[in-house]
Amino acid sequence: MEVVAAAAKPKAKKHIHLFYCSECEELALKIAASSDAIELQSINWRSFDDGFPNLFINKAHDIRGQHVAFLASFSSPAVIFEQISVIFALPKLFIASFTLVLPFFPTGSFERVEEEGDVATAFTLARILSMIPKSRGGPTSVVIYDIHALQERFYFGDDVLPCFETGIPLLLQRLRQLPEAENITIAFPDDGAWKRFHKLLQHFPMIVCNKVREGDKRIVRIKEGNPEGRHVVIVDDLVQSGGTLRECQKVLASHGAAKVSAYVTHAVFPKQSYERFMTSNSAGPGDQFAYFWITDSCPHTVKAIGQRPPFEVLSLASSIADALQI
């Protein structure tokens, strides 16, 4: 008698109630639009006259026994306290599980103590998040994209479960759409970026740059690889002023790169430093980036830049929706 194996049923998706901070509203809407398993919820973000937060979680009773997530943006110290207050309150509302989505871990580049007196604020923020109360389902999951150094996973305590995701698949998808997809070379601005990303991009030819000291100046040089005739894409986790990316672009162009583009997951750009990359502000074709890809992990920057050339925004929305099902 022949036994026919029953087909495995697809795993049912968790229904997620997603709360979000004010500046993440656009990203939250995109996340909800990308999955029918995500339902947006709201918080009244108000302040007392003295400036301290006066917060209210709407429909708090309705989320009992439900899977809940919060989409955060710690874009400045001024907004962290009000969001931490909500993050600490949600797990106590008798929910089934709690996930914090913090696309950009803002103190990630301050992870080292190089001399006595330095304060590693990456460790401080990780300790704060490690104290999030448990929900009925257990420890909180913390989803972070392209944290500056992978060893920072060890800064988190055992009472949370850090889940480190990456925006690189978004870049790969976009590169496949380019007419010159077969002529792409990946460049890294330093050894740290190479260590961080090279295993995710190993099917591309690679270039590694570094900084060398000449007198009082630090000059960007090509350490290995050949950009001649190639569309070179510089890859890093974040950009601040963009000085290093600019210097890399110049040295790659001077060594014969046909085009130079850039990708960063986190476009911080303090003091509107993105202006120096605008096509309209460039000195000429040799001074331009063909494309500058960023994600929407830093909502203030995305709002300021829009889609002005050479910038293109690759949204994390679908990736976050998938991460919420882990």
Side-chain angles (χ1 to χ4, degrees):
M1 181 177 176
E2 185 178 355
V3 178
V4 179
K9 291 183 179 179
K11 184 180 178 181
K13 287 187 176 181
K14 293 185 292 186
H15 187 79
I16 307 290
H17 294 261
L18 179 61
F19 293 86
Y20 53 91
C21 66
S22 299
E23 66 186 72
C24 282
E25 182 175 8
E26 185 174 342
L27 177 55
L29 289 168
K30 289 180 180 178
I31 294 169
S34 69
S35 172
D36 57 7
I38 294 174
E39 179 180 350
L40 294 185
Q41 301 292 350
S42 64
I43 294 168
N44 293 342
W45 300 94
R46 304 167 303 193
S47 298
F48 292 108
D49 291 340
D50 61 2
F52 278 87
N54 175 18
L55 308 168
F56 186 82
I57 299 169
N58 295 307
K59 299 182 179 180
H61 187 82
D62 295 347
I63 61 173
R64 288 184 176 183
Q66 303 295 311
H67 299 288
V68 173
F70 181 76
L71 178 62
S73 176
F74 293 173
S75 58
S76 72
V79 301
I80 291 178
F81 179 67
E82 64 179 10
Q83 292 182 60
I84 287 289
S85 299
V86 170
I87 290 164
F88 276 50
L90 284 169
K92 293 186 174 184
L93 295 176
F94 298 96
I95 60 178
S97 70
F98 182 57
T99 301
L100 169 64
V101 181
L102 181 62
F104 175 46
F105 188 76
T107 59
S109 57
F110 307 104
E111 84 284 12
R112 293 189 299 268
V113 174
E114 296 183 348
E115 64 175 306
E116 200 64 36
D118 282 342
V119 177
T121 51
F123 184 57
T124 306
L125 184 55
R127 290 182 70 185
I128 292 172
L129 297 179
S130 296
M131 293 188 288
I132 298 172
K134 292 183 177 69
S135 66
R136 293 176 70 181
T140 294
S141 299
V142 182
V143 179
I144 297 171
Y145 280 80
D146 291 320
I147 198 165
H148 185 65
L150 283 177
Q151 65 265 26
E152 290 175 48
R153 71 174 63 235
F154 303 113
Y155 293 0
F156 293 85
D158 293 337
D159 290 331
V160 294
L161 302 173
C163 176
F164 296 116
E165 297 290 323
T166 179
I168 293 297
L170 300 175
L171 171 63
L172 293 174
Q173 183 180 16
R174 184 65 183 93
L175 292 180
R176 286 192 290 268
Q177 298 169 353
L178 297 177
E180 64 272 27
E182 301 300 319
N183 193 43
I184 298 293
T185 291
I186 300 297
F188 302 102
D190 50 41
D191 287 328
W194 177 84
K195 291 176 182 176
R196 185 72 183 78
F197 293 114
H198 80 279
K199 289 185 178 179
L200 300 173
L201 298 159
Q202 57 189 352
H203 54 289
F204 290 99
M206 293 185 185
I207 295 168
V208 180
C209 300
N210 65 357
K211 287 184 178 180
V212 296
R213 188 171 294 281
E214 290 188 358
D216 295 332
K217 295 182 179 180
R218 296 190 72 189
I219 308 297
V220 173
R221 295 282 176 83
I222 294 177
K223 179 181 176 182
E224 58 183 81
N226 181 12
E228 187 173 0
R230 308 287 291 181
H231 182 174
V232 182
V233 180
I234 306 168
V235 174
D236 209 350
D237 62 318
L238 62 84
V239 59
Q240 294 269 1
S241 68
T244 299
L245 288 180
R246 261 290 175 212
E247 292 304 312
C248 285
Q249 185 270 335
K250 290 177 182 178
V251 73
L252 291 166
S254 68
H255 281 75
K259 293 181 182 178
V260 179
S261 296
Y263 166 85
V264 297
T265 303
H266 311 298
V268 183
F269 284 131
K271 299 179 180 179
Q272 299 180 320
S273 52
Y274 54 80
E275 291 285 354
R276 68 193 300 181
F277 293 96
M278 294 294 186
T279 302
S280 57
N281 294 335
S282 64
D287 188 51
Q288 294 176 5
F289 280 78
Y291 300 95
F292 199 129
W293 293 293
I294 64 175
T295 77
D296 42 7
S297 68
C298 299
H300 282 316
T301 304
V302 171
K303 187 175 181 180
I305 290 176
Q307 296 278 3
R308 286 187 286 170
F311 290 100
E312 285 187 10
V313 180
L314 309 178
S315 182
L316 293 170
S318 61
S319 178
I320 291 173
D322 290 341
L324 289 173
Q325 295 297 325
I326 296 174

